[in-house]
Amino acid sequence: MPRFTPEEIRAKFANSTEFNEIFDAFEEALAQNIQDVELYRLLFWNNSLAPDELCLFGEKLAKEFPAIAYDTFMWLASVFEVTYSSYDNFELAIKYYRKAAKAKPSEPDPYLDAADCFDPDLNIPPIDALIEFLKEGVKHVGNKKALLLRLAHLYQVIGDETQSEYYRNLADELGRSEN
């Protein structure tokens, strides 16, 4: 017989500040084979959990339920982008955008969302890493134009007008060939 109902698990994810209580609810959710991403979003937004604890839950969830790994990694990335960016300079957000991209390489959102993290005044996350990530994404996504335009913008930010123009032209060529 289950120790917690889904409603009790939801309440513990949303309101508990005790790690062991949250962990027990998480283990019960896994045992009940609950694959509702909405439920786990409550867990990821629980502000009593430290980044390493969130990573523990997210990694375990993605491993147990590969079908929701992409959504899990995207949510973790967005949580880290919003809540911990000032502490880790977006490292955790980028880490989980990369994991989401690995889970679904053809999805453009991890690449585009990672590019949106960039703060040009502080150069965080490091622009070189973002550029390489977006270039990798161009190899996999169906709609390349958005990534090419982001690459053009990032190159413009660092003052490399040659590369900026190159990627802008590639995006324009794609636009013409699609019409």
Side-chain angles (χ1 to χ4, degrees):
M1 180 156 163
R3 293 188 321 183
F4 303 119
T5 66
E7 293 77 25
E8 290 171 324
I9 293 169
R10 182 177 306 283
K12 289 182 187 306
F13 284 177
N15 304 318
S16 182
T17 58
E18 185 64 38
F19 176 79
N20 289 334
E21 190 174 278
I22 296 169
F23 184 80
D24 289 344
F26 179 75
E27 287 291 310
E28 184 62 29
L30 294 182
Q32 291 182 32
N33 200 32
I34 298 174
Q35 297 186 43
D36 178 11
V37 175
E38 296 298 320
L39 174 70
Y40 296 106
R41 287 179 185 170
L42 294 172
L43 171 68
F44 297 145
W45 285 110
N46 184 318
N47 61 7
S48 71
L49 295 172
D52 59 330
E53 293 167 337
L54 289 172
C55 291
L56 170 94
F57 288 128
E59 295 286 340
K60 177 79 171 164
L61 183 61
K63 183 177 179 188
E64 291 291 321
F65 305 127
I68 62 170
Y70 173 81
D71 292 323
T72 298
F73 294 143
M74 286 297 287
W75 269 102
L76 277 174
S78 65
V79 167
F80 290 134
E81 182 180 344
V82 171
T83 58
Y84 296 104
S85 59
S86 61
Y87 301 112
D88 72 2
N89 294 334
F90 293 103
E91 287 177 27
L92 286 171
I94 298 301
K95 173 182 177 180
Y96 283 97
Y97 284 131
R98 286 183 179 278
K99 285 181 176 267
K102 187 174 181 184
K104 285 190 179 178
S106 63
E107 286 292 323
D109 289 343
Y111 307 103
L112 296 172
D113 290 356
D116 288 344
C117 288
F118 183 65
D119 182 333
D121 295 331
L122 301 175
N123 191 35
I124 55 174
I127 198 164
D128 294 340
L130 280 176
I131 287 172
E132 288 309 311
F133 184 48
L134 266 66
K135 284 181 177 179
E136 187 61 33
V138 169
K139 298 175 189 175
H140 301 286
V141 299
N143 180 8
K144 298 173 185 331
K145 185 174 181 175
L147 268 64
L148 294 170
L149 290 172
R150 293 292 172 89
L151 280 166
H153 173 73
L154 290 174
Y155 276 114
Q156 184 177 16
V157 167
I158 61 172
D160 189 337
E161 290 301 322
T162 303
Q163 287 296 318
S164 179
E165 187 176 331
Y166 171 76
Y167 283 102
R168 200 170 350 306
N169 287 338
L170 281 178
D172 289 345
E173 286 174 27
L174 273 177
R176 283 192 295 272
S177 68
E178 291 172 356
N179 293 333

